[in-house]
Coordinates of all heavy atoms in Angstrom, one line a residue:
L220 N -7.4 11.5 26.7 CA -6.4 11.7 25.6 C -7.1 11.6 24.3 O -8.1 10.8 24.2 CB -5.3 10.6 25.6 CG -4.5 10.5 26.9 CD1 -4.0 9.0 27.1 CD2 -3.3 11.4 26.8
T221 N -6.8 12.4 23.3 CA -7.5 12.2 22.0 C -6.5 12.1 20.9 O -5.4 12.8 20.9 CB -8.4 13.5 21.7 OG1 -9.4 13.5 22.7 CG2 -9.0 13.5 20.4
T222 N -6.7 11.2 20.0 CA -5.9 11.1 18.8 C -6.7 11.4 17.6 O -7.9 11.0 17.5 CB -5.4 9.6 18.6 OG1 -6.5 8.7 18.7 CG2 -4.4 9.3 19.7
N223 N -6.2 12.2 16.6 CA -6.9 12.5 15.4 C -6.0 11.9 14.3 O -4.9 12.5 14.0 CB -7.0 14.0 15.2 CG -7.9 14.6 16.3 OD1 -7.5 15.0 17.3 ND2 -9.2 14.6 15.9
C224 N -6.5 10.9 13.7 CA -5.7 10.1 12.7 C -6.3 10.3 11.3 O -7.4 10.6 11.0 CB -5.8 8.6 13.1 SG -4.6 7.6 12.1
S225 N -5.3 10.1 10.3 CA -5.7 10.1 8.9 C -6.2 8.8 8.4 O -6.4 7.9 9.2 CB -4.4 10.5 8.1 OG -3.5 9.5 8.3
N226 N -6.5 8.6 7.1 CA -7.1 7.4 6.6 C -6.3 6.2 6.9 O -5.1 6.1 6.5 CB -7.2 7.6 5.1 CG -8.3 8.5 4.7 OD1 -8.2 9.7 5.0 ND2 -9.3 8.0 4.0
N227 N -6.9 5.2 7.5 CA -6.2 3.9 7.7 C -6.6 2.9 6.5 O -7.6 3.0 5.9 CB -6.8 3.3 8.9 CG -6.3 3.9 10.2 OD1 -6.1 3.2 11.2 ND2 -6.1 5.2 10.3
Y228 N -5.7 1.9 6.4 CA -6.0 0.8 5.5 C -5.3 -0.4 6.0 O -4.3 -0.3 6.9 CB -5.5 1.1 4.1 CG -4.0 1.2 4.0 CD1 -3.2 0.2 3.4 CD2 -3.3 2.4 4.4 CE1 -1.8 0.2 3.4 CE2 -1.9 2.4 4.3 CZ -1.2 1.4 3.9 OH 0.2 1.4 3.8
G229 N -5.7 -1.6 5.6 CA -5.1 -2.8 6.1 C -6.1 -3.9 6.2 O -7.2 -3.8 5.7
P230 N -5.7 -5.1 6.9 CA -6.6 -6.2 7.0 C -7.9 -5.9 7.7 O -7.9 -4.9 8.6 CB -5.8 -7.2 7.8 CG -4.4 -6.8 7.7 CD -4.4 -5.3 7.4
H231 N -9.0 -6.6 7.4 CA -10.3 -6.5 8.1 C -11.0 -5.2 7.8 O -11.8 -4.8 8.6 CB -10.2 -6.7 9.6 CG -9.5 -7.9 10.0 ND1 -8.4 -8.0 10.9 CD2 -9.6 -9.2 9.6 CE1 -8.0 -9.2 11.1 NE2 -8.7 -10.0 10.3
H232 N -10.6 -4.5 6.7 CA -11.3 -3.2 6.4 C -12.5 -3.5 5.7 O -12.5 -4.2 4.7 CB -10.3 -2.4 5.6 CG -10.5 -0.9 5.6 ND1 -9.7 0.0 4.9 CD2 -11.4 -0.2 6.3 CE1 -10.1 1.2 5.1 NE2 -11.1 1.1 5.9
F233 N -13.6 -3.0 6.2 CA -14.9 -3.3 5.5 C -15.0 -2.7 4.1 O -14.7 -1.5 3.9 CB -16.1 -2.6 6.4 CG -17.4 -3.1 6.0 CD1 -17.9 -4.4 6.4 CD2 -18.3 -2.4 5.2 CE1 -19.1 -4.8 6.1 CE2 -19.5 -2.8 4.9 CZ -20.0 -4.0 5.3
P234 N -15.4 -3.5 3.1 CA -15.3 -3.1 1.7 C -16.3 -2.1 1.3 O -16.8 -2.2 0.1 CB -15.4 -4.4 1.0 CG -16.0 -5.3 1.9 CD -15.8 -4.9 3.3
E235 N -16.6 -1.1 2.1 CA -17.3 0.1 1.6 C -16.4 1.3 1.5 O -16.7 2.3 0.8 CB -18.4 0.5 2.7 CG -17.7 0.9 4.0 CD -18.7 1.2 5.2 OE1 -19.9 1.2 4.9 OE2 -18.2 1.3 6.3
K236 N -15.2 1.1 2.0 CA -14.1 2.2 2.0 C -13.2 1.9 0.8 O -13.1 0.8 0.3 CB -13.3 2.1 3.3 CG -14.1 2.1 4.5 CD -14.6 3.5 5.0 CE -15.7 3.5 6.1 NZ -15.2 3.1 7.4
L237 N -12.6 3.0 0.3 CA -11.9 3.0 -1.0 C -11.0 1.8 -1.2 O -11.2 1.1 -2.2 CB -11.1 4.3 -1.1 CG -10.3 4.4 -2.5 CD1 -11.3 4.8 -3.6 CD2 -9.2 5.4 -2.4
I238 N -10.0 1.5 -0.4 CA -9.0 0.5 -0.7 C -9.6 -0.9 -0.8 O -9.4 -1.6 -1.8 CB -7.8 0.7 0.2 CG1 -7.0 2.0 -0.2 CG2 -6.9 -0.5 0.2 CD1 -5.8 2.3 0.5
P239 N -10.3 -1.4 0.3 CA -10.9 -2.7 0.1 C -11.9 -2.8 -0.9 O -12.0 -3.9 -1.6 CB -11.5 -3.0 1.5 CG -11.7 -1.7 2.2 CD -10.6 -0.8 1.6
L240 N -12.7 -1.8 -1.2 CA -13.7 -1.8 -2.2 C -13.0 -2.0 -3.6 O -13.5 -2.8 -4.4 CB -14.5 -0.5 -2.2 CG -15.6 -0.5 -3.3 CD1 -16.9 -1.0 -2.7 CD2 -15.8 0.9 -3.8
M241 N -12.0 -1.3 -3.8 CA -11.3 -1.4 -5.1 C -10.6 -2.8 -5.3 O -10.7 -3.4 -6.4 CB -10.2 -0.3 -5.2 CG -10.8 1.1 -5.3 SD -11.8 1.4 -6.7 CE -12.6 2.9 -6.3
I242 N -10.0 -3.3 -4.2 CA -9.4 -4.6 -4.3 C -10.5 -5.7 -4.7 O -10.3 -6.5 -5.6 CB -8.7 -5.0 -3.0 CG1 -7.5 -4.1 -2.7 CG2 -8.2 -6.5 -3.1 CD1 -6.9 -4.3 -1.3
L243 N -11.6 -5.7 -4.0 CA -12.6 -6.7 -4.2 C -13.4 -6.5 -5.5 O -13.6 -7.5 -6.1 CB -13.5 -6.7 -2.9 CG -12.8 -7.1 -1.6 CD1 -13.8 -7.3 -0.5 CD2 -11.9 -8.4 -1.7
N244 N -13.7 -5.3 -5.8 CA -14.3 -5.1 -7.1 C -13.4 -5.5 -8.2 O -13.9 -6.1 -9.2 CB -14.6 -3.6 -7.3 CG -16.0 -3.2 -6.7 OD1 -16.5 -4.0 -5.9 ND2 -16.5 -2.1 -7.1
A245 N -12.1 -5.2 -8.1 CA -11.2 -5.6 -9.2 C -11.2 -7.1 -9.4 O -11.4 -7.6 -10.5 CB -9.8 -5.1 -8.8
I246 N -11.0 -7.9 -8.3 CA -10.9 -9.3 -8.5 C -12.3 -9.9 -8.9 O -12.3 -11.0 -9.5 CB -10.2 -10.0 -7.4 CG1 -10.9 -9.8 -6.0 CG2 -8.8 -9.6 -7.3 CD1 -10.1 -10.3 -4.8
D247 N -13.4 -9.2 -8.6 CA -14.7 -9.7 -9.0 C -15.0 -9.3 -10.4 O -16.1 -9.5 -10.9 CB -15.8 -9.1 -8.1 CG -15.9 -9.9 -6.8 OD1 -15.2 -10.9 -6.7 OD2 -16.6 -9.4 -5.9
G248 N -14.1 -8.6 -11.1 CA -14.4 -8.1 -12.5 C -15.3 -6.9 -12.6 O -15.9 -6.7 -13.6
K249 N -15.6 -6.3 -11.4 CA -16.6 -5.2 -11.5 C -15.8 -3.8 -11.7 O -14.6 -3.8 -11.7 CB -17.2 -5.1 -10.1 CG -18.0 -6.2 -9.7 CD -18.7 -6.0 -8.3 CE -19.5 -7.2 -7.9 NZ -19.6 -7.3 -6.5
S250 N -16.6 -2.8 -11.9 CA -16.0 -1.5 -12.2 C -15.4 -0.9 -10.9 O -15.8 -1.3 -9.8 CB -17.0 -0.5 -12.8 OG -18.0 -0.2 -11.8
L251 N -14.4 0.0 -11.1 CA -13.7 0.6 -10.0 C -14.1 2.0 -9.9 O -13.6 2.9 -10.7 CB -12.2 0.4 -10.2 CG -11.7 -1.0 -10.4 CD1 -10.1 -1.0 -10.6 CD2 -12.1 -1.9 -9.3
P252 N -15.1 2.4 -9.1 CA -15.8 3.7 -9.2 C -15.0 4.8 -8.4 O -15.0 4.9 -7.2 CB -17.1 3.4 -8.4 CG -16.8 2.3 -7.4 CD -15.7 1.5 -8.0
V253 N -14.4 5.6 -9.2 CA -13.6 6.8 -8.7 C -14.5 8.0 -8.7 O -15.1 8.4 -9.7 CB -12.3 7.0 -9.5 CG1 -11.6 8.3 -9.1 CG2 -11.4 5.8 -9.5
Y254 N -14.6 8.6 -7.5 CA -15.5 9.8 -7.4 C -14.9 11.0 -8.1 O -13.7 11.3 -7.9 CB -15.8 10.2 -5.9 CG -16.5 9.2 -5.1 CD1 -16.5 9.3 -3.7 CD2 -17.2 8.1 -5.6 CE1 -17.2 8.4 -2.9 CE2 -17.9 7.2 -4.8 CZ -17.8 7.3 -3.4 OH -18.5 6.5 -2.6

Side-chain angles (χ1 to χ4, degrees):
L220 298 155
T221 295
T222 53
N223 292 93
C224 187
S225 63
N226 286 62
N227 285 215
Y228 68 100
H231 306 131
H232 204 180
F233 193 79
E235 64 186 350
K236 308 280 169 65
L237 180 76
I238 287 182
L240 181 91
M241 293 296 165
I242 297 172
L243 298 184
N244 275 15
I246 56 187
D247 279 352
K249 296 180 183 156
S250 67
L251 307 181
V253 174
Y254 296 166

